[in-house]
Amino acid sequence: MIDTIPLGRTGERVSSLALGCMLMGTATGEAESFEILERYHADGGRFLDTADCYAWWVRDGDTGGESEALLGRWMARTGRRDDVFLATKGGAWVADPAAVRAGRAAAAEQYAGAGAATLRHALDGSLRRLGVEHVDLYYVHVDDLRTPLEETLEALAGLVAAGKTRHIGWSNVPTWRLERIRQLCARHGWPAPVALQQEHSYLRRHPRSDKYAIVDGEQLRYLRAHDDLTLVAYSPMLKGAYDDPEKRRAHDVFRAYAGADSDARLAAAGKLAAELGVTASQVALAWLRQQDDPRRVTLVGPRTLGQYDSAAASLGVELTPDMLAELDAAGA
């Protein structure tokens, strides 16, 4: 069964394995999505993660919001709104998905951003699609350097005061910006983020990669010093890269990791997986689950029921101290 960990210093606990619903309603059809949600719920999971932009890139005609709308239908059918911890995000909606899919524009150039009016409008849209009066956690999806942080934080404080979200979080943000955010919240008495959603896995980012959305050693040290922030680790299996060399060659997500250090860590995970009779992805998930300095939520986003079952099976993989030490020692 899925256990829980503290959410910052809020006094509440959340599922240590969160269910990413990014592809539900697009790549994953409604019937299979509902089955994944039911299976996750039966396993004791209660932390659902989505965003207003999910998932405009999957099919022609998709514009974002499909995942939220599907979750709204599931909660209406099951009556489980009060039984889940519901998180969504705003700021990464794109104005012209067709242009991005066709290669005529870059997604980052079209992000809606974190302006006050934008976030207020975005959350209202999310609540409407979800069919709820509030969410439990609302993230700024992508760090927006064009908008003053004071404007964003004041708007988020207003959303909390209005009862539209209980907590706020940030995603895809470097540590220096996170500290600036926290300082401004303390100065003005605004609600501070309680969750940090970043890309994080057993593999480590290549030193020459400038992808700041990946957790690095500095950010882990920061989180150890600030236990009011809970790390939510997305892409923990790196899109299948642990188990499939072709995915390592073909998928963009692996480019930030490729190198001798990752080769050594992949070999260590693969060796241990063979000894345990599991997959290397399951070893990576087990490694994440057993980290306690700091504790972290592992966010999995399965496309199929089989992928969910494989991820859930990692809950039964217990790594001994010697195994953890062997994994941690691997690297260039």
Side-chain angles (χ1 to χ4, degrees), residues 107-251:
E109 295 171 355
Q110 293 202 33
Y111 287 155
T118 298
L119 290 178
R120 286 193 288 264
H121 175 77
L123 183 51
D124 283 345
S126 292
L127 296 177
R128 183 177 64 254
R129 287 184 292 273
L130 289 162
V132 300
E133 295 183 353
H134 74 278
V135 294
D136 299 295
L137 176 60
Y138 191 56
Y139 291 98
V140 173
H141 199 163
V142 289
D143 196 32
D144 177 9
L145 295 175
R146 299 168 300 178
T147 301
L149 280 172
E150 292 86 347
E151 178 183 341
T152 299
L153 289 165
E154 187 173 23
L156 291 170
L159 294 173
V160 173
K164 295 183 178 183
T165 182
R166 296 173 56 229
H167 306 291
I168 68 165
W170 228 272
S171 184
N172 302 308
V173 60
T175 306
W176 70 268
R177 285 274 287 179
L178 192 59
E179 174 61 16
R180 177 65 175 151
I181 289 163
R182 290 163 48 85
Q183 289 178 0
L184 287 169
C185 290
R187 180 184 306 168
H188 295 280
W190 293 326
V194 300
L196 171 67
Q197 188 174 135
Q198 299 280 88
E199 187 175 312
H200 181 47
S201 187
Y202 167 61
L203 298 189
R204 297 180 288 215
R205 183 183 72 182
H206 192 282
R208 288 199 296 271
S209 171
D210 61 357
K211 190 175 180 181
Y212 62 82
I214 300 174
V215 173
D216 60 9
E218 178 189 26
Q219 199 156 75
L220 284 175
R221 288 192 295 272
Y222 186 87
L223 290 165
R224 292 183 189 112
H226 299 95
D227 64 358
D228 54 331
L229 268 173
T230 293
L231 175 60
V232 179
Y234 74 80
S235 291
M237 295 180 284
L238 300 178
K239 311 296 185 185
Y242 283 96
D243 297 302
D244 188 342
E246 179 57 33
K247 289 184 178 179
R248 294 198 287 272
R249 288 189 291 268
H251 206 293

